[in-house]
Amino acid sequence: QRSPRALVVVDVEAGIRHRYGPDEGPACELHGARDGLLAVLTGRVSAMEAAYDGTVLVRCSFPDLSVLSGAGFRIRYGRTDADG
């Protein structure tokens, strides 16, 4: 399973944009208010759930969204790659 090469996080209320990973090329993007972004990034809410609810705008390919959501579930439920 591959992971996104870069992640862009945009706090739309504060107007702050952070990019993690290579400066060039495509990135998985999360846009939203601070609380919504924190909920996704700490695993309290999956990226798919936040996107469906409209709390966070997620802009990336479906495979990248799947990887991002899987990482959130591992954070939320304490699973590791060894769990399968």
Side-chain angles (χ1 to χ4, degrees), residues 35-74:
D35 290 344
L37 294 169
L38 283 173
V40 170
L41 295 171
T42 58
R44 288 183 289 144
V45 175
S46 76
M48 285 188 198
E49 182 180 348
Y52 180 78
D53 290 343
T55 307
V56 173
L57 170 72
V58 179
R59 185 175 178 219
C60 61
S61 68
F62 190 78
D64 287 349
L65 177 58
S66 177
V67 170
L68 184 62
S69 292
F73 285 127
R74 283 191 290 279

Side-chain angles (χ1 to χ4, degrees), residues 5-57:
R5 292 186 44 90
L7 177 66
V8 173
V9 180
V10 180
D11 180 336
V12 296
E13 294 178 335
I16 299 171
R17 181 183 192 273
H18 295 282
R19 183 179 178 106
Y20 304 94
D23 290 334
E24 299 295 322
C28 186
E29 298 185 19
L30 301 175
H31 298 249
R34 183 178 184 272
D35 290 344
L37 294 169
L38 283 173
V40 170
L41 295 171
T42 58
R44 288 183 289 144
V45 175
S46 76
M48 285 188 198
E49 182 180 348
Y52 180 78
D53 290 343
T55 307
V56 173
L57 170 72

